[in-house]
Structures are given as structure tokens and as C-alpha cells.
Amino acid sequence: MQIVEFTADSLRFSDALPAQPPADGFVWIFFDRDEFESHQSLMQQAAQKIGGSALLDLHCQDLGNAAHPSHYDFTSIYDLIIFRRLATQVETRAEAEHEAAVEAYHGQGGQPRIKPRGGLAAFNRISSRAVGFVVFDRLLISVHPRGCYTAKSFIERSLTDAKFSVDAVSARSRIPSSPADLVLRMVNAMVDSYLDVRKELTTQLEHWQGELLKPNSRFINWGSLMGARSQLHVLEDLCDEQHDAMQEWLDSLREQPMSSFAADAQLAQSRRDQMVARARDVIEHIQRVVHHARRLEQSAETVVQIHFSAQSNRTNSIMRTLTALTAIFLPLNLITGFFGMNFEFLPLIHTRYGFWWIFGFMIVLIIAVGTVFWRKQYLARTAR
């Protein structure tokens, strides 16, 4: 595999570009998206010279579009894959600082943003960046965000494997055998970052779940929780797009003739099986992320329902107690209202011990009604 890194120096790029791909390998040319727009002519020269065909203008626009969703397209000469990877913490922080600077520039930054309690540190990582790949038989052109860890890490890994391998055979087994193989390895690394972020998302939601299920909970982070649900929807949609793109590419790999993988039939079959297995593995990882996002969303909705059910149960318990107390004192109000009427002749009114008789009767009535309600558990204290 011969690697050509694009720089702003056109002469250096032209000098590094080989006249033809290696006899047993391929050429990988990668660009930063910031430089891609102004140097498309160099890329087209490389595609025509090594790959055998220039790129369509529509595909060039797709590669330069940082907001393009995950997508797969093809021509008779090459395949186009756009895959969105998770933004790193550095990229997320830089994006937040840029948005804050824009708000301040437009006069909207006078008041500092109030971050919701509980924060969305984990969910802020559900921000993605588009990485584009153009896959020829012997040439790979990739377009990355500036400082993309995917390209740099695979370059360092390939150089390390080639340098420290015991022999040429073991080095060749570690290095990707074709542009499609390299793309699958990079996409697999991108998907693994989605798997890594699951722990952070689960920890954040478990924290909120614990807050919601506390006795006498006074949960106020509803804005954060709703934002988390929205981010989970974003993650689910993002993975659905990735799944569709990778499934279409997998179908294309299965339909390619054996001669496109290698001249030797046995080697071609081995490489094809290996790439199909890698593609299936990537798709399976994407499906795991989708299932996990859906489980988190369902778990959050379930806890919210339990929270409001507990609040409703507590309210019903309070209303039941108040109703029972009202029922206890209602006869007392009736008695006091009856003997409070302005009539001269009423029973026990002029009796010396009439007040105490009535008072005692009221006490007995309270005890009797209270005992009945207690046995029926109208006054029982429910667990909170």
C-alpha cells in the first residue's frame, strides 16, 4: 500500500503521486476537507491517472459537503461511500466555542448560557462528521475533517505493522489487501467509537433514573432529559443511514466478479469472503448501537412513566387521607350545627351536663369512624 497525503503544496503532491499503482498493492490518497474544495483538479488527475476515471461532479460535491448523511453510490469504475463518524471531544469542544463566538459576534452573547443541571456531557458527543471514500480497484481517495483521527491512526498502524513484522508475509497479512478492505477497517473503527460511547450514555441515564425514582423526588432536569431523548433519536437516525449505506455496499461487493479481487481464483475467493465478513461485522455493530439506543430510549420513557405513576399514587394517597379526615369530621360539623341553631327548646340545651354528653358522644363517634377507616386502610401510610 502506498500512501500519499495531500498538502497545500501542489508540486509536492504531484511529485508524490506515482505513475501507476504498485504491482501488488494500491495507492491511498487522503485530503483534508478544508483543502479539498480548492484542489479538486489534482484529485481528478490522480483519479484519471491511477483509477482510470475522473469523479463525477455530483460525487465531488458530496465529498465536499460536511453535512452530507451516510450514503452509498457507484459507477462502473468506482464506489462512493460517505460515512459519518462520531466527533471527538476536541471537535465537540471546538464546535461549542465556535457557536459561542458566533452568538457573541451577533450580539446574542450578552448573557451567559445557563446549562441545565445534570448536563448533557455524554449526549453532546452524539455529533458526527462526514468522511468520504472513493474506492477504485487500485486506488482509494478519502476526504476527512481536519485532523481526523481515523486516517492518522491507520497510517501509523500500517507503518508500525510493516516496520516491526518479522517477515514480509506477516506484514502483508496485517496491511489491507485492497482499497475496499482499508475502507472497511476504517469504518469498523468509526463504528467502534459508537460502541464505546454507550457506557457514557448509560451512566448518564442511570443517574437521571435514580433521581426520578428517589422518594419525594423533586426532579427538575426535564429539559436535559427531553434533550437526551432527542439526541437518542439523532443517534438512531444516524445509525439507520449508516446501516443502509453499508448494506448497499455489501450487496455490491457480493455482486462483483471474482476477477476484481485478485487474478488467482482461490485468492480472490478468500479476499471476497474476508471483505464480506468485515462488512457484515460492521453492519452487526451498527445494529447493536441502534438496539442499544432504542433500549435507552425505552428505559428513559419507562422511568418517566414510573415517576409520574409514583407521584400520582402519592397524590391519591394524600387525597384519600384528606377524604377520610373530612368524613370523620363531617358528623361533628352536623352535630355542632344542629345544636348551634337559635331555638329555645332543644334537647340537652338546658341540662347541666348536656355539653359533656354531646362532647363525649362526639369523641366516641370520632373513634368509631376512625377505627372503621383504619381497618379499611383508608388512613394507612403508603410507601413513598
Side-chain angles (χ1 to χ4, degrees):
M1 177 177 63
Q2 181 171 351
I3 303 172
V4 180
E5 180 179 3
F6 174 81
T7 65
D9 188 352
S10 302
L11 293 177
R12 178 181 173 185
F13 179 79
S14 300
D15 294 339
L17 189 65
Q20 59 185 6
D24 187 16
F26 62 94
V27 177
W28 175 22
I29 304 174
F30 68 94
F31 296 80
D32 282 341
R33 183 169 284 108
D34 297 340
E35 304 290 348
F36 175 77
E37 190 75 23
S38 57
H39 294 84
Q40 287 190 21
S41 59
L42 293 174
M43 183 270 298
Q44 293 286 27
Q45 292 175 13
Q48 184 68 53
K49 185 177 181 181
I50 303 176
S53 171
L55 272 64
L56 299 178
D57 292 339
L58 179 62
H59 290 167
C60 292
Q61 295 175 7
D62 293 342
L63 291 172
N65 185 4
H68 202 288
S70 297
H71 177 67
Y72 170 76
D73 200 0
F74 66 94
T75 66
S76 59
I77 306 298
Y78 64 84
D79 293 333
L80 172 71
I81 302 101
I82 297 178
F83 197 89
R84 298 195 67 87
R85 65 164 176 82
L86 275 182
T88 62
Q89 294 181 354
V90 175
E91 291 173 334
T92 303
R93 190 180 306 112
E95 183 180 8
E97 292 175 354
H98 176 71
E99 291 179 355
V102 171
E103 289 183 359
Y105 178 80
H106 290 287
Q108 300 176 359
Q111 296 293 332
R113 281 187 174 182
I114 301 176
K115 295 183 179 181
R117 294 178 61 185
L120 290 174
F123 292 92
N124 283 339
R125 290 201 57 191
I126 308 179
S127 176
S128 59
R129 301 291 185 272
V131 181
F133 302 99
V134 181
V135 184
F136 293 86
D137 290 340
R138 308 288 295 278
L139 171 67
L140 171 62
I141 299 176
S142 61
V143 181
H144 303 258
R146 179 174 292 277
C148 181
Y149 69 90
T150 304
K152 300 295 184 182
S153 63
F154 269 86
I155 291 174
E156 295 174 358
R157 184 183 307 175
S158 299
L159 294 177
T160 301
D161 290 340
K163 181 178 180 181
F164 294 101
S165 295
V166 178
D167 52 27
V169 176
S170 61
R172 190 176 295 110
S173 63
R174 293 173 178 269
I175 295 175
S177 60
S178 66
D181 188 16
L182 176 58
V183 172
L184 283 172
R185 295 190 187 197
M186 286 194 285
V187 169
N188 192 32
M190 297 178 197
V191 175
D192 286 343
S193 65
Y194 285 84
L195 296 175
D196 294 338
V197 82
R198 294 184 308 170
K199 183 177 180 181
E200 300 178 29
L201 302 180
T202 303
T203 301
Q204 182 66 67
L205 278 178
E206 285 179 350
H207 169 71
W208 282 334
Q209 290 172 4
E211 292 292 326
L212 281 169
L213 296 180
K214 281 183 178 179
N216 301 324
S217 173
R218 296 295 184 269
F219 188 79
I220 62 174
N221 290 329
W222 295 110
S224 298
L225 187 59
M226 295 301 103
R229 284 192 58 195
S230 176
Q231 289 298 310
L232 287 174
H233 281 301
V234 171
L235 178 60
E236 186 177 343
D237 293 340
L238 183 64
C239 290
D240 286 339
E241 294 171 357
Q242 294 173 346
H243 181 273
D244 293 340
M246 294 306 301
Q247 186 63 53
E248 291 180 12
W249 192 28
L250 174 60
D251 296 338
S252 175
L253 288 176
R254 287 171 172 167
E255 294 172 359
Q256 288 183 10
M258 286 294 182
S259 59
S260 63
F261 295 95
D264 182 71
Q266 185 176 0
L267 179 59
Q269 183 65 45
S270 175
R271 289 182 176 179
R272 178 181 180 180
D273 293 343
Q274 182 181 14
M275 282 190 287
V276 169
R278 284 186 182 275
R280 285 201 305 262
D281 184 64
V282 170
I283 292 174
E284 190 269 337
H285 284 188
I286 295 174
Q287 291 174 342
R288 284 166 56 188
V289 176
V290 172
H291 294 161
H292 186 75
R294 289 174 180 171
R295 285 197 303 268
L296 288 178
E297 185 179 355
Q298 293 174 357
S299 177
E301 292 178 354
T302 301
V303 171
V304 170
Q305 293 176 1
I306 293 175
H307 169 74
F308 282 112
S309 296
Q311 294 293 327
S312 177
N313 183 61
R314 183 169 179 266
T315 301
N316 292 338
S317 178
I318 294 173
M319 294 302 299
R320 183 182 60 193
T321 302
L322 293 177
T323 302
L325 292 175
T326 302
I328 290 174
F329 285 95
L330 182 61
L332 306 185
N333 291 332
L334 178 61
I335 294 173
T336 55
F338 179 78
F339 283 96
M341 291 187 295
N342 191 19
F343 289 101
E344 182 177 357
F345 300 102
L346 284 175
L348 303 176
I349 284 293
H350 300 289
T351 305
R352 180 177 181 180
Y353 298 103
F355 168 78
W356 298 109
W357 283 105
I358 298 300
F359 183 75
F361 175 75
M362 293 169 66
I363 295 297
V364 172
L365 185 61
I366 290 175
I367 294 174
V369 177
T371 301
V372 172
F373 285 171
W374 184 265
R375 288 186 175 182
K376 291 182 177 293
Q377 297 184 351
Y378 293 164
L379 297 174
R381 185 175 183 179
T382 57
R384 297 180 182 178

